[in-house]
Amino acid sequence: MQLFLLGSAMQRKSFSGMNCSIARALEEVGEWWSLLIVRECTQGATRFDEFQSELGIARNILTARLTRLTELGILERFALEDRANTDGYRLTKKGEELYPVLVALWQWGDRWLASCGKPPTALVEDATGAPIEPITVHAKGGAPLSFRDIRFAPGPGASAKTRRVIENRNQKVLGHP
């Protein structure tokens, strides 16, 4: 995200008007607390105090992030059975579909940032105990692909500018439009 220094305050640039799915996704979950809250949900957190304790986040920031994630339909509130007049938070289907994004970041961090090359946590399938496969982009037949193996094509929402960007990208990366 781009930040601009205006006087003594920093203001985030909005990507909501960009005709790019990555930019629009970052508009919703690109602020780091948002993905860490989603991570905590995948680790069983539901209550405000659990999020606050695990993340060490200021209460006002946590309140704002939970409100925003709920407004975006990534989280939903639900009544906690063990606490009268208290709501908890859980992932919606939209929020659950962020899990592969988290795992991809997790695996990338394990590969490139783990202290002494030793990741702190292993991800294993519950039923078998086998390590999960690395998240990669695959061809229909299963072969792994890099960005150099993929051609961009205009989708149904492509604007004239998007079509130019696609053509330029394919020329630069693939050597042909």
Side-chain angles (χ1 to χ4, degrees):
M1 300 246 157
Q2 290 183 320
L3 297 174
F4 298 98
L5 194 56
L6 301 175
S8 62
M10 292 182 84
Q11 183 176 7
R12 186 172 67 102
K13 177 181 178 176
S14 175
F15 296 141
S16 62
M18 293 180 78
N19 192 22
C20 170
S21 295
I22 294 172
R24 287 192 308 271
L26 287 172
E27 187 72 23
E28 293 201 1
V29 295
E31 193 278 326
W32 67 64
W33 287 121
S34 297
L35 285 179
L36 290 174
I37 290 167
V38 171
R39 179 199 69 187
E40 290 304 311
C41 287
T42 70
Q43 295 177 180
T46 57
R47 297 188 332 259
F48 185 95
D49 60 328
E50 291 175 315
F51 294 115
Q52 205 278 321
S53 173
E54 290 301 316
L55 295 172
I57 184 174
R59 295 179 69 80
N60 63 322
I61 295 173
L62 178 57
T63 298
R65 295 302 174 267
L66 290 171
T67 299
R68 174 88 171 131
L69 291 168
T70 301
E71 289 169 352
L72 294 169
I74 293 168
L75 296 180
E76 64 184 2
R77 294 175 74 142
F78 69 99
L80 289 171
E81 293 177 15
D82 59 338
R83 291 196 169 179
N85 303 319
T86 305
D87 287 342
Y89 298 87
R90 63 181 168 217
L91 295 170
T92 62
K93 179 72 172 159
K94 181 179 179 180
E96 286 182 18
E97 288 185 6
L98 285 168
Y99 191 63
V101 174
L102 293 178
V103 172
L105 284 169
W106 194 329
Q107 291 175 341
W108 183 87
D110 282 353
R111 178 178 169 103
W112 296 104
L113 306 171
S115 179
C116 301
K118 296 178 181 177
T121 305
L123 298 174
V124 298
E125 184 181 0
D126 183 44
T128 66
I132 66 167
E133 293 289 326
I135 301 259
T136 59
V137 177
H138 290 84
K140 190 170 184 169
L145 301 171
S146 86
F147 71 94
R148 292 178 189 90
D149 301 314
I150 296 173
R151 179 176 50 84
F152 287 14
S159 65
K161 179 181 178 184
T162 302
R163 291 174 186 280
R164 286 190 304 276
V165 168
I166 289 169
E167 187 175 316
N168 187 39
R169 180 270 178 200
N170 289 341
Q171 182 65 44
K172 287 180 176 179
V173 175
L174 304 175
H176 60 84

